[in-house]
Amino acid sequence: MSKRQIYLESLPHDAALERLLTALDQAGWGPQREVVPTDKALGRITAAPVRARISAPHYNASAVDGIAVKASDTFGATETSPLTLTIGEQAHWVDTGDPLPPGCDAVIMVEHVNLLDDGHHSGARCEILAPVAPWQDVRQIGEDVVATEILLPEGHTIRPQDMGALLAAGILEVPVVRKPVVTFIPTGTEIVEPKADPAPGEIIEFNSRVILSMVSEWGGTPVRGPIVRDDYDLIRRTVREAVAGSDIVIVNAGSSAGSEDYTVHVLKELGQVLAHGVAIRPGKPVMLGLIDGKPFVGLPGYPVSTWLTAELFVKPLVYRFLGQQVPRRPTVRASLARRVTSPMGVTEYVRVKLGRVGERLVATPISRGAAVISSLVRADGLLVVPSGLEGIGEGSEVEVELLRPLSEIQETVVAIGSHDTSLDLMGSFLRRKSGFYLSSAHVGSQGGLLALKRGEAHVAGVHLLDEATGDYNTAYVQKYLGRPALLVLLARREQGFIVPRGNPKNITSFRDLARPDVQYVNRQRGAGTRLLLDYHLKQEGISPAEVQGYRWELFTHLNVAAAVKAGDADAGLGIRSAAQAMDLDFVPVAWEEYELCIPAELEEHPGVQAVLTLLRDPEFLGAVESLGGYDCADSGRIRRV
């Protein structure tokens, strides 16, 4: 079967979700009750009020070790006129938790009892120096819980302390809301199970692990179906089987309008299409429907789209089945670091990094690609651009939904600038040794200095060659930052040509980049490596137009190395550690100083001080040098400009 299916509509998110929930209400889909053992009920939601079966304690119990007495028998006792009591008649030895003997209504602590005879046997005598009040040091019946009282209300999530109270009240089983069974069916002929060495054209299936882990966190029961190739009959049969044993069915991929996107046709045949295409970005191709009165959700295949549409449409279903409101994540107000443009009529969810620089909390947009799962790893929050706006201007105050705790964000050093692989190491060491997090964004050296100028970062990695003097960084800091700063040496590093093993094109100089048989991959405008290339091309009298691939721009040294490794490029200028990481050859060109620029007013910031301390740490510097192509002999050196 091969049909193309355009989107039926482009509904707003709220309207699409409401259409689905209304249909589910009409179908009678919702919470169901089951009974589970109390000691297995942690995290479950009560389906009805839970009443105590017995009181706790269910007898009058001694609260201390001592003698049980009738309080009225102790009246008149004083230090100058003690009272003598006989064990077994007026006094009875008890330990903590023992029931009170008949006729007793108080306990005297053993420390306040003076033995007159040897031993605790019946008939032995003791004296007391003070009277006790009725029920002193006695846990009366029902002190903790009274039989028939409501211990837990309906809709309560059972905690460890709740389990203790239930068991103390004689409740061995508790009625709870049944967890919804959520089945995830990954589809696609190109999809394979996780492996270390996928072949070209094979895509590792990980969306199911992500979404079903979220389902588990939300309180559902996750079920992963097998990968189903793009075959209409096979997808239909798998969906039919999943519906029979599930409360919610998810099909991943195949929800768009390609020739092998069969999901909508399966849904039409087996049930009802309620929405196909929602006005959100990423995630527009999401599909919502009903099969046998149960919700069916077709999630787009790109991982960020999958994650977002699961948040927007699957999460509300899980919580609705549990009879709960969807919890809202905390939000913060932040200043937008750069303008965000967005198409009218679409609600866009933008991933951002957050950092407190001075008195401001700054939100910096990161990759908006729907396929970039690592952007969700790095993101601190989500910025929602409403459908009625074409964008939000730089410097605007915006609301950001947090994906990480604010406490972590407050303890983050924000590094924006040139990419270097040692920054990844710095993040790990910084967290382990000082408790600070490192948030790094790769926008090139010039972009980093401009971020410092706008107050968006604490530090910027820079390696900008001044063609006029041959020096690094000083002139650029003075030009772009325009205020006192520190230039702190992270390391000297070796730049050169990253080439395939064996250097098959025999690239040895910048002149070789102008050869018609050489495909080059460049760094982005404003990157120090790009300036180094331009400097040498100018020295050789080579026009950028003569270099095939000059306009092909990537943002990190590792991206450049990956392009060479994949065979898409014959060479790219970068650092030795990137070539070594990708098992590529390296043709050295020059050593340069990679420095961290820090505005002088931020020098005493605790996170900045932690970075400066790390740059003198032998363990960290040894780890940097082990990457290859680094010299840390002078790391930590400070120049003030």
Side-chain angles (χ1 to χ4, degrees):
M1 181 175 183
S2 179
K3 295 182 180 179
R4 288 193 175 273
Q5 173 65 49
I6 62 170
Y7 304 131
L8 300 182
E9 52 200 325
S10 189
L11 284 173
H13 156 249
D14 291 343
L17 180 60
E18 182 59 31
R19 183 180 290 183
L20 175 60
L21 296 179
T22 298
L24 289 171
D25 287 344
Q26 293 171 350
W29 182 89
Q32 299 178 11
R33 173 174 167 163
E34 65 180 356
V35 176
V36 299
T38 300
D39 59 2
K40 303 294 184 183
L42 182 64
R44 301 300 297 271
I45 297 167
T46 55
V50 183
R51 295 181 179 273
R53 293 177 59 85
I54 61 175
S55 296
H58 59 280
Y59 60 90
N60 293 325
S62 174
V64 296
D65 295 343
I67 57 172
V69 298
K70 187 174 183 178
S72 60
D73 289 344
T74 68
F75 294 165
T78 67
E79 291 187 7
T80 57
S81 181
L83 283 180
T84 299
L85 303 175
T86 302
I87 301 299
E89 296 177 7
Q90 300 150 298
H92 308 268
W93 287 109
V94 290
D95 294 326
T96 302
D98 283 349
L100 260 63
C104 295
D105 62 2
V107 177
I108 302 173
M109 295 176 64
V110 66
E111 294 90 337
H112 299 157
V113 177
N114 182 26
L115 294 177
L116 299 177
D117 299 321
D118 186 23
H120 288 53
H121 57 82
S122 180
R125 295 173 305 134
C126 63
E127 65 178 15
I128 58 173
L129 306 180
V132 291
W135 306 114
Q136 180 171 312
D137 287 326
V138 174
R139 294 193 63 218
Q140 292 181 262
I141 293 174
E143 175 189 270
D144 189 357
V145 175
V146 177
T148 74
E149 77 170 289
I150 294 178
L151 276 180
L152 300 178
E154 181 179 350
H156 178 83
T157 301
I158 298 175
R159 304 164 298 173
Q161 58 266 41
D162 300 326
M163 294 169 63
L166 292 170
L167 293 171
I171 300 168
L172 304 184
E173 294 181 329
V174 59
V176 297
V177 179
R178 184 172 67 78
K179 292 184 175 185
V181 176
V182 182
T183 297
F184 186 105
I185 303 170
T187 70
T189 303
E190 73 282 9
I191 303 298
V192 297
E193 295 291 352
K195 58 171 72 174
D197 54 349
E202 291 184 335
I203 300 175
I204 292 175
E205 198 290 303
F206 56 80
N207 281 340
S208 63
R209 277 77 174 185
V210 175
I211 304 307
L212 291 178
S213 296
M214 293 161 65
V215 166
S216 184
E217 286 185 342
W218 298 333
T221 298
V223 175
R224 181 178 183 268
I227 295 174
V228 181
R229 68 180 184 272
D230 291 320
D231 178 283
Y232 181 84
D233 292 332
L234 184 57
I235 294 172
R236 179 184 55 188
R237 184 165 62 252
T238 304
V239 169
R240 168 55 69 196
E241 292 172 355
V243 169
S246 310
D247 300 296
I248 302 169
V249 174
I250 300 170
V251 171
N252 190 212
S255 64
S256 191
S259 60
E260 294 187 343
D261 291 329
Y262 299 132
T263 308
V264 68
H265 306 297
V266 169
L267 178 56
K268 280 183 175 180
E269 180 177 343
L270 298 180
Q272 176 186 7
V273 178
L274 296 172
H276 184 199
V278 178
I280 57 174
R281 180 180 177 183
K284 181 179 181 179
V286 69
M287 185 185 312
L288 308 174
L290 256 64
I291 301 177
D292 293 347
K294 300 177 181 180
F296 174 98
V297 183
L299 300 182
Y302 280 136
V304 179
S305 298
T306 306
W307 177 87
L308 178 62
T309 48
E311 279 276 334
L312 295 178
F313 298 104
V314 179
K315 186 176 184 178
L317 293 176
V318 172
Y319 277 94
R320 194 177 188 87
F321 195 90
L322 293 170
Q324 301 285 292
Q325 295 292 319
V326 178
R328 286 181 55 84
R329 290 196 183 96
T331 60
V332 295
R333 304 294 294 180
S335 176
L336 189 60
R338 66 178 68 99
R339 176 174 174 78
V340 171
T341 58
S342 185
M344 285 284 288
V346 174
T347 301
E348 183 165 10
Y349 296 80
V350 180
R351 289 140 275 168
V352 298
K353 292 291 293 181
L354 290 167
R356 186 168 295 283
V357 183
E359 298 300 316
R360 291 197 308 160
L361 193 61
V362 178
T364 303
I366 56 178
S367 174
R368 294 162 79 175
V372 187
I373 184 65
S374 63
S375 66
L376 289 176
V377 177
R378 295 186 293 114
D380 297 322
L382 286 177
L383 165 64
V384 180
V385 182
S387 61
L389 297 180
E390 289 185 311
I392 302 175
E394 176 183 320
S396 299
E397 187 181 34
V398 295
E399 184 174 73
V400 176
E401 181 180 339
L402 292 179
L403 299 177
R404 284 176 59 204
L406 184 59
S407 59
E408 291 184 10
I409 294 166
Q410 304 281 29
E411 297 173 351
T412 296
V413 178
V414 181
I416 299 178
S418 170
H419 170 255
D420 189 87
T421 51
S422 65
L423 290 178
D424 298 328
L425 273 179
M426 178 178 284
S428 296
F429 274 82
L430 201 63
R431 179 62 183 153
R432 174 161 62 89
K433 298 211 167 194
S434 69
F436 280 91
Y437 295 85
L438 181 70
S439 168
S440 59
H442 314 309
V443 298
S445 297
Q446 289 182 2
L449 292 176
L450 292 173
L452 291 182
K453 184 175 183 177
R454 294 191 297 263
E456 298 168 3
H458 300 103
V459 303
V462 291
H463 63 112
L464 293 164
L465 175 64
D466 184 353
E467 293 185 12
T469 64
D471 293 333
Y472 275 88
N473 299 328
T474 304
Y476 289 93
V477 172
Q478 293 169 342
K479 176 181 178 181
Y480 289 109
L481 184 57
R483 62 181 190 270
L486 287 67
L487 281 169
V488 186
L489 181 66
L490 195 160
R492 292 186 175 89
R493 65 183 192 177
E494 196 172 16
Q495 286 266 26
F497 298 118
I498 299 173
V499 296
R501 274 291 179 189
N503 192 7
K505 294 292 180 72
N506 193 30
I507 296 168
T508 60
S509 70
F510 285 91
R511 293 213 59 83
D512 291 323
L513 302 184
R515 286 166 28 197
D517 65 327
V518 172
Q519 174 66 46
Y520 183 74
V521 57
N522 208 353
R523 289 293 306 283
Q524 80 276 21
R525 187 186 303 272
T529 301
R530 172 76 163 259
L531 291 179
L532 180 64
L533 170 71
D534 291 344
Y535 171 76
H536 281 281
L537 292 181
K538 185 176 180 180
Q539 293 292 105
E540 296 286 349
I542 299 172
S543 166
E546 298 178 65
V547 179
Q548 293 189 73
Y550 182 86
R551 296 186 180 278
W552 179 15
E553 300 178 348
L554 297 178
F555 281 80
T556 72
H557 296 281
L558 288 173
N559 288 151
V560 169
V564 175
K565 182 75 172 181
D568 298 326
D570 300 309
L573 194 60
I575 55 178
R576 181 183 287 274
S577 62
Q580 186 168 304
M582 290 287 186
D583 192 30
L584 297 167
D585 274 352
F586 184 79
V587 180
V589 169
W591 283 86
E592 65 178 11
E593 294 191 341
Y594 181 85
E595 294 180 297
L596 300 179
C597 181
I598 303 169
E601 70 271 16
L602 296 178
E603 182 176 358
E604 298 304 318
H605 182 281
V608 170
Q609 284 295 310
V611 170
L612 296 178
T613 299
L614 197 61
L615 293 180
R616 298 186 293 271
D617 185 298
E619 183 186 2
F620 170 67
L621 299 180
V624 171
E625 289 191 336
S626 70
L627 295 172
Y630 289 95
D631 175 3
C632 295
D634 294 325
S635 294
R637 180 203 70 199
I638 297 176
R639 298 192 292 133
R640 298 183 183 273
V641 296

